[in-house]
Amino acid sequence: MARIGIFGGTFDPPHIGHLILASEVQYRLELDRLLWVLTPDPPHKPGRPITPLPLRLAMVKAALSGSDSFELSTVDIDRPPPHYAVDTIRLLRDTHPNDELVYLMGGDSLRDLKDWHSPQAFVASLDGIGVMRRPEVEIDLEAIEAELPGVRAKTAIVTAPLLDIASRDIRRRVRAGAPYRYYVHSGVYEIIEREGIYRT
């Protein structure tokens, strides 16, 4: 039996902050592997322009190159929308029936978990929830437990390293012609430059 972390996102683009946080959580939660689940069209971000899937897929592959424990999962890419997390976990459970599945999220996502699609079924489907919390963010786990019984016993909170890096800021930097080279993996940088992503 393996402990498998599930790290989902649009990764537009994936950056070194993603990699550092994922590595820290993998270490702290003793995860054997970490699946990066690329979401083609997130249901909670309707109408937001998103870089075409083939380019984001190429960038995630580049970001994960050289890692033995980080893996790309196409579980959401291989099925039609909407891509709700509860369905993602159900499909991963089918392919990993004997493994522990630990879903990774930020503190804001945990706070808003009650508003997700079928949140109680989502919590029940998991063996654990790893929450990456910024040092200044307080999480009222008792209040969340009152709304979603069972979430407290499954939640492990990891204080995330202070990294002021976000995908939106990298997109803004590229548009403005500001330096961003060392915010991303070298392979991701090469793809952004070659394909002219985020220029407009």
Side-chain angles (χ1 to χ4, degrees):
M1 182 174 66
R3 280 175 58 79
I4 299 177
I6 301 158
F7 187 26
T10 52
F11 302 120
D12 193 12
H15 53 71
I16 62 167
H18 289 131
L19 292 164
I20 292 171
L21 287 173
S23 179
E24 182 71 14
V25 172
Q26 181 179 14
Y27 169 72
R28 296 280 296 277
L29 299 185
E30 299 180 330
L31 304 174
D32 298 295
R33 294 155 53 204
L34 199 151
L35 301 181
W36 292 56
V37 178
L38 179 59
T39 303
D41 189 14
H44 61 289
K45 297 179 180 179
R48 199 201 82 180
I50 300 176
T51 300
L53 179 60
L55 291 175
R56 286 187 290 127
L57 183 61
M59 287 191 287
V60 172
K61 287 180 178 179
L64 304 187
S65 63
S67 172
D68 294 329
S69 57
F70 289 174
E71 300 176 24
L72 171 68
S73 171
T74 60
V75 62
D76 281 352
I77 296 173
D78 297 337
R79 65 186 177 96
H83 300 104
Y84 294 119
V86 65
D87 298 323
T88 302
I89 300 304
R90 177 178 53 80
L91 291 170
L92 289 174
R93 183 67 71 187
D94 289 341
T95 55
H96 300 84
N98 300 316
D99 296 325
E100 293 184 2
L101 300 182
V102 180
Y103 196 92
L104 308 181
M105 64 176 66
D108 290 345
S109 294
L110 179 65
R111 182 196 62 205
D112 298 335
L113 187 55
K114 66 182 186 303
D115 300 321
W116 288 27
H117 181 75
S118 301
Q120 197 68 66
F122 171 72
V123 172
S125 68
L126 293 168
D127 298 293
I129 300 172
V131 179
M132 298 170 281
R133 180 190 66 179
R134 296 178 65 86
E136 72 277 9
V137 174
E138 294 293 330
I139 295 176
D140 190 346
L141 200 51
E142 293 299 323
I144 299 170
E145 171 72 16
E147 296 172 323
L148 288 173
V151 72
R152 179 177 51 197
K154 294 187 176 184
T155 298
I157 296 176
V158 175
T159 300
L162 280 173
L163 296 166
D164 193 16
I165 302 174
S167 294
R168 64 179 175 275
D169 294 328
I170 293 173
R171 296 193 298 267
R172 178 184 55 78
R173 281 181 162 271
V174 176
R175 283 195 302 272
Y180 73 98
R181 167 68 183 81
Y182 300 107
Y183 286 68
V184 296
H185 184 285
S186 60
V188 175
Y189 177 78
E190 290 171 6
I191 292 171
I192 292 173
E193 290 293 300
R194 183 178 68 242
E195 301 294 337
I197 309 172
Y198 312 126
R199 296 296 177 192
T200 57

